[in-house]
Every structure is written in structure tokens, then in C-alpha cells.
Amino acid sequence: RKEVEQDPGPFNVPEGATVAFNCTYSNSASQSFFWYRQDCRKEPKLLMSVYSSGNEDGRFTAQLNRASQYISLLIRDSKLSDSATYLCVVNTDTGNQFYFGTGTSLTVIP
Amino acid sequence: SAVISQKPSRDICQRGTSLTIQCQVDSQVTMMFWYRQQPGQSLTLIATANQGSEATYESGFVIDKFPISRPNLTFSTLTVSNMSPEDSSIYLCSVEVDRVYEQYFGPGTRLTVT
């Protein structure tokens, strides 16, 4: 079983739509959780950390469900510029081991 | 955050040769990492570059193939040795800032082995 699993998509949504991605992780001892955004032919960039209480940054909301071992990312009012691959990243907090999901592809359509 | 640069940004190499990739950070960082991202795939951690000691390699990666140097807290190199076409990939360095486990990535080195 993979450490981190994501639905690869692609998700094709119209501008203004709300879209949500989930990511499941297998290690119950995981401590830190992140969403990264990767544009085509670019490096991943940190979008947001995911805190136990959930967190919001503008149109983006991230949540953590430890009981079910998944994290989610909600994007409201999608913009064309949101088109990218979204990577889920989990840290087990032992030896700085980071596990990356394979990414979910999002295309926002005019 | 941190500003990270990598050199070269891309290269085309012949099989059997070696390439050394440099990673420079604009501030001192404790943790530096090297990743590989093959086409259409996610990132795979190659090793953690430790300052003043040997790198810590992940399963499937060995020092003879991917020697790493970390002479100080702002610089590291990764060498891809005796290259084959299977080594064609993007190689990224990253740093962890402020011990909060957030990682920041360099722009990557796109390697093609012919």
C-alpha cells in the first residue's frame, strides 16, 4: 500500500466552481501534512500546511481527518490560474521522511 | 521561506558519463534534500544531505550512483554517476526551513541521457 494516495484526476471544472480533493495516508503516526501546487515544468510550491483544526487561506480550505486518515483541499470560486497539479505531502516526523502523493490534476475551464 | 538556485537548469548527457548538480540556498538551513521526479510521476526522495557527514540514502539509491556533498549549510551537490537513459529525470533540491517541516524547492535540473 502506498504511503500517500491521491485521485490523479483530471478534474476539469468551469470558472467559479468549487472543487475538492482528498488524499489518504497509511501511517497513523504521521504528524505534518501539506498541500503543494506544481505547475507544468516547474518545481512544487508550498500552498498550505494542514493543521489539526483545519485552516483557510482565501479561497483555499484544508482539513485533516485523523480518524479516517485523510486530508482535503477545497478550492472555492475557481480561477483559470488555479489550473495545476496539487500534491499531497505527509511527514511521519521520524527522520524527516516526506511522502508525496502522485498529484491531482486540475484544469479550470473558461 | 528561502531562495534556492540550481545549476545547471538542464543538460543532455551521454550514457556512461557523470553530471554534478549544484544547489545553493540564500540562507543557512539544517535540512537539505535531493529528489527525483520522472516524467508524469511524483517526487521520490533520493537522500538527505547532511552537513559534515555522509548523506542518508533512501531505499533504492546508493552512494556510488548518487554521491552527495554538503560542505556547508548553504550548498550541496548531487552527482549522477555512470548515467543511463533511465536516469533521465528532473532532479530537485529542497530545504526545510525553521524546523516546521515545510519544504521549499529549487527550480530543478532537467536531465536527458542519450
Side-chain angles (χ1 to χ4, degrees):
Chain A
R1 185 181 172 188
K2 290 183 180 178
E3 293 283 344
V4 178
E5 297 204 58
Q6 290 182 252
D7 180 349
F11 286 69
N12 300 313
V13 303
E15 261 186 298
T18 296
V19 62
F21 311 135
N22 281 345
C23 164
T24 59
Y25 60 94
S26 61
N27 188 339
S28 60
S30 299
Q31 293 295 320
S32 306
F33 309 88
F34 310 91
W35 285 102
Y36 280 75
R37 170 193 171 127
Q38 187 170 27
D39 292 285
C40 187
R41 303 176 77 85
K42 298 284 190 180
E43 74 274 20
K45 293 189 177 176
L46 180 65
L47 180 64
M48 56 199 308
S49 303
V50 187
Y51 305 124
S52 296
S53 56
N55 47 308
E56 187 173 312
D57 182 2
R59 299 181 292 108
F60 299 85
T61 301
Q63 297 211 314
L64 167 65
N65 185 316
R66 284 193 183 274
S68 300
Q69 294 185 202
Y70 75 85
I71 65 172
S72 63
L73 177 68
L74 181 78
I75 305 175
R76 289 181 298 278
D77 188 24
S78 300
K79 310 290 185 192
L80 296 178
S81 57
D82 294 334
S83 298
T85 297
Y86 291 83
L87 300 168
C88 166
V89 183
V90 174
N91 179 289
T92 62
D93 208 27
T94 56
N96 289 297
Q97 179 61 275
F98 292 85
Y99 295 96
F100 283 74
T102 52
T104 298
S105 174
L106 171 67
T107 300
V108 181
I109 305 164
Chain B
S1 63
V3 178
I4 305 162
S5 61
Q6 281 185 238
K7 288 196 295 188
S9 58
R10 60 178 62 233
D11 208 340
I12 300 173
C13 302
Q14 291 190 339
R15 69 171 70 210
T17 63
S18 298
L19 175 72
T20 295
I21 302 167
Q22 299 179 7
C23 178
Q24 180 76 53
V25 191
D26 69 339
S27 58
Q28 292 188 340
V29 294
T30 304
M31 306 301 295
M32 291 182 78
F33 307 92
W34 286 98
Y35 286 85
R36 181 170 74 181
Q37 187 173 28
Q38 296 183 304
Q41 308 277 325
S42 191
L43 284 79
T44 301
L45 180 63
I46 297 171
T48 302
N50 301 309
Q51 195 267 330
S53 64
E54 198 169 279
T56 305
Y57 289 85
E58 298 302 309
S59 174
F61 299 96
V62 296
I63 188 171
D64 290 345
K65 176 67 176 177
F66 296 102
I68 288 170
S69 78
R70 178 90 191 269
N72 54 53
L73 294 177
T74 64
F75 185 78
S76 178
T77 67
L78 168 75
T79 298
V80 186
S81 303
N82 188 25
M83 288 184 283
S84 66
E86 292 71 35
D87 294 321
S88 297
S89 187
I90 299 171
Y91 291 85
L92 298 121
C93 72
S94 75
V95 304
E96 183 187 303
V97 176
D98 296 333
R99 301 294 296 172
V100 294
Y101 303 119
E102 295 176 352
Q103 286 193 62
Y104 296 88
F105 287 85
T109 296
R110 188 176 297 273
L111 170 64
T112 302
V113 183
T114 60

